[in-house]
Amino acid sequence: MDAKNLFETPVTFRLARLEYAVGLAVATGLLLAHLGEVRWGVAAGLFVYIDVIGYIPGAIAHHRSPNGRIPHAYYVLYNVMHSLATQTLLALAWIWLFGAEWALLALPVHLFGDRAVFGNFLKPFGVGFEPVAHPAYQRFRGEYAAGTTGREQHPTRLGARSS
């Protein structure tokens, strides 16, 4: 993926998930290394509040919808709550108000876990709220795998055709 090709292939998607798995391992390792110092009620609350606000309302709306379409507000809620930027701001505000604590690691554990374990990243409006392959993506993936996406039209910098 680059600035002109906003998609992931199965391999690049797995590599992105692997990077988040490293973050998940580090955050989980730090949490476990400080077991006795973690306020577990706070950690649990921080872990679940992301989905209570950002996922569960959209999932309920999606499953109640006869055609799976739901208002964009549910996508916005999901994306805001599952954003590393949002949760970093929350952690900084928490530290400013209450001080630093190990329970805050629940935030990256949740987000990195979603991305590494479940493959869930931010949700664009054009796909279903719950994962289902978009027909246009299925067509593209088939063309890309077959080498018919125009790759032969894009010579490398040296003028040779890419293989």
Side-chain angles (χ1 to χ4, degrees):
M1 181 172 85
D2 57 39
K4 300 290 182 185
N5 298 288
L6 302 177
F7 64 88
E8 297 282 357
T9 65
V11 171
T12 57
F13 182 70
R14 285 192 297 272
L15 290 172
R17 289 179 69 181
L18 178 62
E19 289 185 356
Y20 281 103
V22 171
L24 175 62
V26 169
T28 302
L30 285 169
L31 199 60
L32 294 174
H34 297 278
L35 279 174
E37 302 168 70
V38 176
R39 291 194 304 154
W40 288 103
V42 171
L46 290 171
F47 188 89
V48 297
Y49 105 99
I50 294 171
D51 282 343
V52 167
I53 296 170
Y55 172 69
I56 293 172
I60 291 170
H62 172 82
H63 290 288
R64 287 185 177 171
S65 170
N67 60 8
R69 292 187 182 153
I70 60 173
H72 287 175
Y74 292 110
Y75 288 80
V76 172
L77 275 174
Y78 181 92
N79 291 339
V80 167
M81 295 306 297
H82 287 83
S83 164
L84 288 167
T86 300
Q87 299 312 323
T88 298
L89 291 174
L90 176 93
L92 290 172
W94 186 284
I95 291 166
W96 183 63
L97 292 170
F98 308 111
E101 63 177 295
W102 294 109
L104 290 169
L105 286 169
L107 300 171
V109 166
H110 182 120
L111 298 180
F112 295 166
D114 275 357
R115 288 168 171 87
V117 176
F118 301 112
N120 292 332
F121 289 77
L122 301 179
K123 296 182 181 293
F125 295 142
V127 299
F129 192 81
E130 295 290 4
V132 174
H134 192 284
Y137 178 73
Q138 288 176 313
R139 285 190 305 274
F140 163 77
R141 187 171 172 190
E143 289 177 21
Y144 186 84
T148 59
T149 58
R151 187 172 59 170
E152 61 280 353
Q153 299 171 10
H154 300 288
T156 65
R157 284 184 1 165
L158 299 176
R161 300 245 182 249
S162 41
S163 52

